[in-house]
Amino acid sequence: MTLSDTPARKSASKSAAAQNGRGNGDPSQAWIDSLENALESMLLHQEPENAGRFLDGFLQRLRQAGVQAPTTTQTPYCNTIPVDQEPEYPGDRDLERKIKSYARWNAMAMVVNANTDAKGIGVGGHISSYASAATIYEVAYNHFFRAPTADFPGDQIYFQGHVTPGNYARAFLEGRLTEQHLQNFRQELAEGGGLSSYPHPYLMPDFWQFPTVSMGLGPSCSIFHARFLRYLTARGLHPTVDKVRVYAFIGDGESDEPETLGTLALAAREKLDNLCWVVNCNLQRLDGPVRGNGKIIQELEGVFSGAGWNVIKVVWGSDWDELFKKDNQGLLLKRMEECVDGDFQKYTVSTGAYIRNHFFGKHPDLLRMVDHLSDEQLTKMHRGGHDPLKVYTAFKAAQDTKGKPTVILAKTVKGYGMGEAGEGRNITHQQKKLNEKELREFRGRFGIPLSDDVIADMPFYRPPEDAPEMKYLHARRKALGGYVPQRTVRAPKLEIPGLDFQGFKQVTKGSVSPGSTTKGFVTIIRNLLREKTLGKYIVPIIPDEARTFGMDPMFAEFGIYSSKGQLYEPVDRESNNYYKEAKDGQILEEGISEAGAMASFVAAGTAYANHGVPMIPFYIYYSMFGFQRVGDQIWLAADSRTKGFMLGGTHGRTTLNGEGLQHQDGHSLLHAGTVPTIMAYDPAFDFETAVIIRDGLKRMYQDGEEIFYYLALYNEDMSMPPMPEGCEKGILDGLYKFKPGADGLKHKAHIFGSGSIMQQALKAQTILAEKYGVSADVWSATSYKRLRNDALNAERWNMLHPTEPAKKPLVVQLLEKETGPFVSVSDNMKIVADQIGQWVPGGLTTLGTDGFGRSESRKNLRRFFEIDAECTVIATLNALAKKGAIDRKVVAQAIKDLGVNPEKMFPFLVV
Ligand SMILES: Cc1ncc(C[n+]2csc(CCOP(=O)(O)OP(=O)(O)O)c2C)c(N)n1
Ligand SMILES: [Mg+2]
């Protein structure tokens, strides 16, 4: 059979011809006929590619002649792969149907169970999404998903977040989860352990790999992950990762998230044929239809085709094949094209008589076409996503596609099998309860061998191990390498060099010539990249800011990864620092895409588990476009147990001068405090950065801790002091005395400085000593988050062990013997330092940068926010006056002498 014989194709061509006015005495009829003849003959000679080329060339010539030739990114509303190109189904359909039915039942029972009134906990869950996707998943579980083995990392599968009941039900059938686990779905604190609501590697580290429930993030992560596999291969870091396929399962409603479709072009540009997305087009999201007045499948086809993806539509099940074959006039296809998704949803909940009347009844020939089908049969005509053969065909074609990523757009019914309890209903997404009658119907429809008298208890069902379907299930998984999902940490531990490593020493010895902490960091990373064992694992990631951070010399030395190499001669080829792109380049230069860079960070930072390679990402970016822009991805990174370093360059609301409100960051360290597995640091000197990075490398890659780091980096030049003796522990703990005040002065005080503002603290120390007889010790506060966590931990222990000797928070141990007052000053919002206020003896006076930034000079900004040396002096004197150590008049005089206007504007405008 040629392509032209395919029923849908024939219908399409006929309907197009009908629309073109063919056969109506049109004068251009002869031309049309001759073109049709040419096409027919190419198709007859089995040369469909020639037909495509012919048409392309034809359209091209029309355009050159100035004719507005159509650009088509959409095809008719039918299956992309014609019936005659469908492969034989390789599995046992009966056994697979049984397995799928049990999975359906157990998934449903799990959710209903968790929400029975008897349990009284109402913890939620979703039935209808998995119900719509069961066939798609089961086909993949039986035939496509390859598990990790000793020398292969396995396919990387991004399961749709809220179909977990289906995955758990499968794992239960496979014997990987117990009945107790299922009973404890969404009750993770229950005895015997429970199952997390959604895929969370943090909560189920042996099971889940990818958190996907924050919609849109899974899809974009999958693209960058697929590209990262290419990177690993190109750099020779993994022998089999080129065979890995990445699957991402996405909801059609989820496609509205900008992150879902935002990076499609990259996947096509990079020719990621290792990537396959499946959009479950059940036409509904949470509240109602995704595109009631349109067609989500057609819309998505246009978007994906336009972006260069291979699109496979799975719209209709096999029972429609026969009707399409009969559809000589293209009426059926025409009718399908004119119906909107709202209509199709309506047909799902309607009787056969209604479907006959409204859908087929539009044309007498269409009605005749279904004369032989009963009303009941009409209601059972399947959509493509519920037909194992159609689904298998699509997965297989995706697997065989070369040079492009594939998206499968599978049409399904939301709540499939739930009947009146929710099938196709607008309420279905949140349906968590089924009454006894509905349960019986569900059981009957899917043939679950449970009797009437037990049905109300909703038992889970697993056939005996020797049942043919169980043997089949295990055999299929064995053939595919084992069970999925599974997460295993396989990366070798790395030996991390000590601080005596020359690459660290270069900065710990200090420097007289001025430089910023950003520059210091660049020195460290270059030295690490050159280190013989560690270097190759480092992945520098930059979203188009390398020049801002002085990293451009790294381009030529380490190369920018490009799958194409460099096809042009770069304009700066003569320079030592030229823009070098290379197939084995080490730098991931992501362009202006913080979301993409973050996705790469996660792909690299989880490679220790997902691919057994201890990749070490260093992601440096414009600090303001981090936490507040891609905050949810950072949360995802934590959930994924990502390792690595995030470096917020251009940190500080006053240190980054001239830029203003959108750029000046005084709150990333506050955000960082909200992410449990982030170690957040605000180093003032290069030696501190070196100590933190060295310790981070050791903790993550030698000791195996699954944490990651955030470091604030500044761009203010200063001379860097050498590392003082014995400060290493203090740097890591979050606070240490950097420079004690002069002896023999009348008053005592302490100033905590962080980051660049340490320079102001040191200047204040001098003024206080010289003008006011105050000896102020200057401390470097490197991590308020760490100090706070330590204190909270101690306090909690004390609360629960009231009769035992109390633990002392570190900050108390450090400060209790000192004579206050204590003042902190930083380029962050005051609340960052206030985190430890309650444990500072006598309280903490905090100076910080609350409010919007301004474009101005550093000097003026620091006065504006009251964090300069003069304001620090005033705050210290004021704190001493409050203690009664000095007269308040001294403070008033100091305000005058230091030139601070007491009536100046309060930077935080809104009270
Ligand atoms: C970013 C984000 N916003 C909202 C939600 C809440 N939510 C969970 S499922 C859902 C509807 C999903 O619809 P669709 O993507 O079509 O998936 P389906 O369940 O139909 O397969 C919503 C709004 C979420 N998980 N993530
Ligand atoms: Mg949907």
Side-chain angles (χ1 to χ4, degrees):
M1 189 191 237
T2 67
L3 266 185
S4 62
D5 293 331
T6 318
R9 295 258 156 334
K10 207 188 259 172
S11 313
S13 116
K14 291 276 161 61
S15 83
Q19 279 166 24
N20 287 340
R22 187 179 177 187
N24 292 344
D26 192 308
S28 53
Q29 188 56 52
W31 299 351
I32 293 172
D33 280 347
S34 79
L35 283 173
E36 288 248 351
N37 285 341
L39 279 176
E40 284 292 328
S41 101
M42 282 182 239
L43 294 174
L44 261 177
H45 291 95
Q46 309 277 354
E47 293 172 337
E49 302 81 15
N50 282 350
R53 269 197 292 276
F54 167 70
L55 278 178
D56 268 353
F58 186 68
L59 289 172
Q60 190 63 19
R61 286 180 57 188
L62 284 175
R63 286 187 197 111
Q64 277 166 354
V67 178
Q68 286 215 336
T71 320
T72 36
T73 50
Q74 284 184 11
T75 60
Y77 197 57
C78 59
N79 297 345
T80 303
I81 301 174
V83 178
D84 68 328
Q85 287 179 26
E86 285 170 1
E88 282 284 305
Y89 195 77
D92 183 320
R93 293 275 295 263
D94 283 343
L95 293 181
E96 287 188 14
R97 182 172 188 279
K98 281 188 177 172
I99 298 164
K100 178 169 68 184
S101 299
Y102 305 150
R104 283 182 185 286
W105 172 266
N106 290 330
M108 180 275 297
M110 197 183 317
V111 178
V112 178
N113 237 310
N115 291 282
T116 51
D117 295 334
K119 275 205 170 172
I121 42 174
V123 288
H126 302 88
I127 303 173
S128 63
S129 302
Y130 175 67
S132 67
T135 299
I136 300 171
Y137 282 113
E138 278 303 314
V139 167
Y141 270 119
N142 284 322
H143 302 286
F144 292 96
F145 294 157
R146 291 165 306 166
T149 55
D151 50 8
F152 179 63
D155 290 331
Q156 307 291 304
I157 309 158
Y158 289 74
F159 291 100
Q160 199 185 355
H162 54 284
V163 303
T164 47
N167 301 116
Y168 293 144
R170 222 294 144 173
F172 170 67
L173 289 174
E174 291 167 347
R176 303 171 66 209
L177 294 176
T178 64
E179 193 161 331
Q180 169 133 32
H181 285 124
L182 267 51
Q183 285 286 1
N184 292 346
F185 171 58
R186 289 188 170 225
Q187 296 150 69
E188 298 178 75
L189 306 177
E191 220 182 304
L195 300 174
S196 65
S197 50
Y198 303 118
H200 293 303
Y202 186 78
L203 300 172
M204 293 176 65
D206 302 329
F207 196 86
W208 294 116
Q209 290 176 286
F210 309 112
T212 46
V213 78
S214 183
M215 307 199 128
L217 302 192
S220 61
C221 276
S222 74
I223 292 181
F224 283 84
H225 190 158
R227 204 267 314 247
F228 191 69
L229 300 180
R230 293 280 161 84
Y231 171 92
L232 285 176
T233 305
R235 294 200 42 229
L237 290 166
H238 199 292
T240 59
V241 85
D242 59 320
K243 309 275 183 311
V244 169
R245 297 186 58 75
V246 179
Y247 291 98
F249 292 83
I250 298 158
D252 46 358
E254 184 174 8
S255 68
D256 280 337
E257 289 286 2
E259 290 88 345
T260 306
L261 304 181
T263 49
L264 290 187
L266 176 126
R269 195 190 318 132
E270 293 294 315
K271 302 189 188 332
L272 298 180
D273 52 19
N274 56 349
L275 178 66
C276 174
W277 280 15
V278 183
V279 186
N280 176 15
C281 297
N282 56 24
L283 314 187
Q284 290 176 246
R285 43 179 163 71
L286 191 152
D287 282 339
V290 178
R291 292 288 184 275
N293 294 313
K295 276 195 174 64
I296 188 64
I297 292 184
Q298 297 300 86
E299 184 181 324
L300 289 176
E301 178 182 34
V303 172
F304 280 92
S305 302
W309 285 52
N310 173 40
V311 180
I312 302 176
K313 293 196 293 190
V314 183
V315 190
W316 306 114
S318 300
D319 27 17
W320 290 90
D321 290 347
E322 182 211 343
L323 297 189
F324 275 118
K325 203 169 174 184
K326 289 193 210 159
D327 187 27
N328 286 327
Q329 304 172 67
L331 287 172
L332 179 60
L333 190 70
K334 184 165 176 287
R335 185 72 193 109
M336 279 165 170
E337 304 226 312
E338 69 196 16
C339 283
V340 289
D341 283 355
D343 293 323
F344 287 116
Q345 189 187 349
K346 172 82 175 157
Y347 296 136
T348 301
V349 302
S350 300
T351 61
Y354 182 92
I355 298 170
R356 192 181 301 278
N357 260 338
H358 286 79
F359 183 79
F360 295 99
K362 282 272 158 147
H363 198 287
D365 288 347
L366 264 183
L367 258 185
R368 262 194 298 281
M369 205 187 275
V370 289
D371 261 352
H372 63 298
L373 296 173
S374 69
D375 282 356
E376 204 196 336
Q377 281 171 315
L378 283 187
T379 61
K380 289 196 173 143
M381 302 278 287
H382 282 108
R383 290 181 183 177
H386 295 291
D387 184 323
L389 176 60
K390 304 283 184 200
V391 171
Y392 176 84
T393 301
F395 272 120
K396 178 86 175 55
Q399 191 178 272
D400 296 342
T401 297
K402 296 279 170 267
K404 279 177 174 202
T406 292
V407 63
I408 297 171
L409 302 173
K411 187 172 177 177
T412 62
V413 172
K414 191 148 179 168
Y416 183 83
M418 288 169 77
E420 291 188 3
E423 187 159 339
R425 312 297 201 270
N426 276 338
I427 49 84
T428 194
H429 189 85
Q430 285 170 310
Q431 181 63 280
K432 301 163 203 330
K433 293 187 179 179
L434 264 67
N435 63 32
E436 199 171 327
K437 176 172 163 277
E438 289 157 351
L439 286 172
R440 275 200 204 138
E441 279 168 13
F442 195 104
R443 175 209 52 189
R445 179 157 174 183
F446 296 111
I448 314 296
L450 288 172
S451 64
D452 274 358
D453 42 327
V454 296
I455 205 91
D457 299 333
M458 272 165 316
F460 297 115
Y461 180 73
R462 177 159 59 193
E465 278 299 311
D466 58 358
E469 59 268 33
M470 292 299 271
K471 286 190 179 155
Y472 180 84
L473 168 147
H474 289 299
R476 287 311 310 146
R477 286 313 319 162
K478 198 168 169 207
L480 290 159
Y483 300 97
V484 290
Q486 60 169 286
R487 179 181 175 279
T488 328
V489 175
R490 286 162 297 178
K493 298 259 154 85
L494 297 176
E495 266 310 308
I496 304 300
L499 280 176
D500 52 354
F501 164 58
Q502 197 49 41
F504 292 134
K505 264 192 175 161
Q506 194 183 341
V507 298
T508 55
K509 69 180 194 310
S511 79
V512 184
S513 60
S516 64
T517 51
T518 306
K519 190 168 169 224
F521 160 73
V522 175
T523 305
I524 294 171
I525 192 175
R526 284 183 79 174
N527 290 340
L528 287 171
L529 280 159
R530 291 170 184 159
E531 208 273 344
K532 53 187 182 326
T533 45
L534 216 58
K536 63 174 183 281
Y537 296 122
I538 292 175
V539 188
I541 305 172
I542 315 154
D544 201 32
E545 293 286 352
R547 290 180 202 281
T548 313
F549 306 128
M551 294 171 83
D552 35 327
M554 287 170 53
F555 290 159
E557 183 174 357
F558 304 104
I560 295 164
Y561 169 73
S562 161
S563 56
K564 294 193 173 76
Q566 193 152 35
L567 305 176
Y568 60 98
E569 175 158 339
V571 285
D572 50 0
R573 182 65 189 85
E574 301 310 312
S575 124
N576 283 340
N577 299 340
Y578 79 98
Y579 195 83
K580 177 183 168 189
E581 301 194 59
K583 284 189 178 166
D584 61 351
Q586 190 157 1
I587 299 167
L588 287 177
E589 159 69 80
E590 299 295 11
I592 311 168
S593 172
E594 282 77 12
M598 199 56 217
S600 280
F601 178 75
V602 175
T606 52
Y608 73 94
N610 294 331
H611 307 296
V613 206
M615 302 307 289
I616 311 171
F618 280 86
Y619 170 33
I620 182 162
Y621 58 94
Y622 219 124
S623 132
M624 196 68 160
F625 305 122
F627 282 92
Q628 68 176 21
R629 179 150 191 140
V630 292
D632 204 12
Q633 280 181 293
I634 297 174
W635 187 259
L636 173 147
D639 188 349
S640 310
R641 295 173 169 258
T642 299
K643 298 183 187 184
F645 295 89
M646 293 176 62
L647 304 122
T650 57
H651 186 85
R653 193 150 287 159
T654 68
T655 307
L656 177 67
N657 58 347
E659 290 282 353
L661 182 153
Q662 184 59 67
H663 288 66
Q664 292 165 346
D665 176 16
H667 51 281
S668 274
L669 285 161
L670 186 62
H671 283 297
T674 64
V675 182
T677 54
I678 281 188
M679 304 297 298
Y681 282 98
D682 194 6
F685 305 115
D686 288 350
F687 68 81
E688 293 182 352
T689 309
V691 166
I692 295 162
I693 289 181
R694 152 52 233 168
D695 187 62
L697 287 170
K698 181 175 173 299
R699 286 182 66 175
M700 294 185 284
Y701 295 94
Q702 187 170 313
D703 305 341
E705 284 191 62
E706 294 175 1
I707 52 176
F708 63 125
Y709 279 68
Y710 177 73
L711 272 73
L713 296 179
Y714 297 79
N715 64 355
E716 184 174 11
D717 288 344
M718 61 184 109
S719 59
M720 290 287 166
M723 179 168 164
E725 275 293 303
C727 64
E728 205 178 319
K729 179 171 181 323
I731 294 171
L732 299 173
D733 283 348
L735 186 67
Y736 71 99
K737 198 179 283 184
F738 171 67
K739 188 173 177 198
D743 288 335
L745 297 177
K746 194 166 172 206
H747 304 291
K748 189 73 213 169
H750 300 268
I751 305 173
F752 303 161
S754 305
S756 248
I757 300 305
M758 171 60 90
Q759 300 303 317
Q760 303 301 314
L762 291 168
K763 208 166 142 199
Q765 182 183 48
T766 308
I767 302 173
L768 282 162
E770 287 175 358
K771 290 198 174 167
Y772 302 100
V774 180
S775 161
D777 291 354
V778 171
W779 300 65
S780 179
T782 50
S783 181
Y784 286 109
K785 178 182 181 192
R786 176 132 171 67
L787 293 171
R788 179 178 175 77
N789 284 354
D790 167 78
L792 290 176
N793 188 25
E795 277 208 337
R796 173 188 165 275
W797 192 90
N798 294 344
M799 178 183 81
L800 296 171
H801 304 83
T803 59
E804 294 178 50
K807 286 187 194 258
K808 219 178 258 179
L810 207 71
V811 55
V812 177
Q813 290 176 41
L814 286 170
L815 303 179
E816 66 184 349
K817 292 206 182 71
E818 305 286 359
T819 311
F822 299 90
V823 175
S824 83
V825 61
S826 80
D827 218 356
N828 305 304
M829 289 176 71
K830 296 179 186 197
I831 198 167
V832 174
D834 285 343
Q835 292 183 82
I836 64 159
Q838 58 183 298
W839 297 284
V840 176
L844 183 65
T845 300
T846 309
L847 300 176
T849 52
D850 295 41
F852 285 132
R854 299 282 193 289
S855 39
E856 250 300 348
S857 66
R858 276 188 192 127
K859 188 166 182 298
N860 290 344
L861 281 172
R862 287 171 180 171
R863 173 57 56 86
F864 175 72
F865 283 109
E866 295 152 20
I867 58 160
D868 57 1
E870 290 77 8
C871 289
T872 309
V873 169
I874 292 166
T876 311
L877 293 175
N878 204 40
L880 282 164
K882 269 204 225 156
K883 272 184 75 176
I886 61 169
D887 196 313
R888 285 174 191 272
K889 286 188 188 135
V890 176
V891 191
Q893 191 56 43
I895 293 174
K896 249 191 214 148
D897 293 349
L898 296 169
V900 175
N901 173 9
E903 307 314 324
K904 69 189 278 295
M905 181 184 156
F906 180 39
F908 199 122
L909 290 169
V910 184
V911 180

